[in-house]
Amino acid sequence: MSIGALSNTEALLTIAGLTLVTVVTRSLFFLSSHEWPLPNWLDKGLRYAPLAALSAVIAPEIFMTNGALHLSWQDARIWAALAGAAVYYWQKRSSFAVLGTIVVGMAVYLPLHLGLGW
């Protein structure tokens, strides 16, 4: 057995342990008979969590290539992100906002990337 390889027993015990930890931590909120109130500061902070997570995932994909900052006007990703952001800004109150952002972003990205090779 090489370093880092697990036997079948060790792999099963690891999976069982991770399953147990996941089930226990996720079910703690259901075991209580009353609602757990969040502190005000935590409730306000959690409002920004989805935006922060999305930015952390998307920003490097848009602005970096092979781990290096890549800013060029001939980058289809930047134009698609700008077009999608514009659609979302003007349609943020409508039901078209999220779907429109995706559709317009891809409609800008695909011709630039496939057609012009950006």
Side-chain angles (χ1 to χ4, degrees):
M1 178 167 53
S2 65
I3 296 176
L6 296 176
S7 70
N8 288 341
T9 306
E10 291 171 330
L12 288 174
L13 285 174
T14 302
I15 291 169
L18 289 170
T19 302
L20 180 67
V21 168
T22 302
V23 168
V24 168
T25 56
R26 290 179 182 246
S27 65
L28 284 176
F29 293 104
F30 298 117
L31 297 176
S32 177
S33 60
H34 64 281
E35 186 178 331
W36 292 13
L38 288 176
N40 218 12
W41 61 269
L42 182 59
D43 190 39
K44 286 181 182 178
L46 286 175
R47 291 182 196 165
Y48 299 103
L51 180 61
L54 189 61
S55 298
V57 170
I58 291 180
E61 183 62 34
I62 294 171
F63 299 113
M64 297 181 81
T65 302
N66 296 327
L69 188 63
H70 178 81
L71 296 175
S72 168
W73 68 273
Q74 290 184 326
D75 191 350
R77 298 172 301 180
I78 293 173
W79 292 107
L82 289 172
V87 167
Y88 186 80
Y89 178 76
W90 280 294
Q91 298 292 324
K92 60 185 162 193
R93 300 265 185 239
S94 78
S95 59
F96 177 72
V98 175
L99 180 61
T101 300
I102 295 168
V103 169
V104 170
M106 289 307 294
V108 169
Y109 176 79
L110 286 175
L112 292 176
H113 184 69
L114 298 176
L116 296 178
W118 288 6

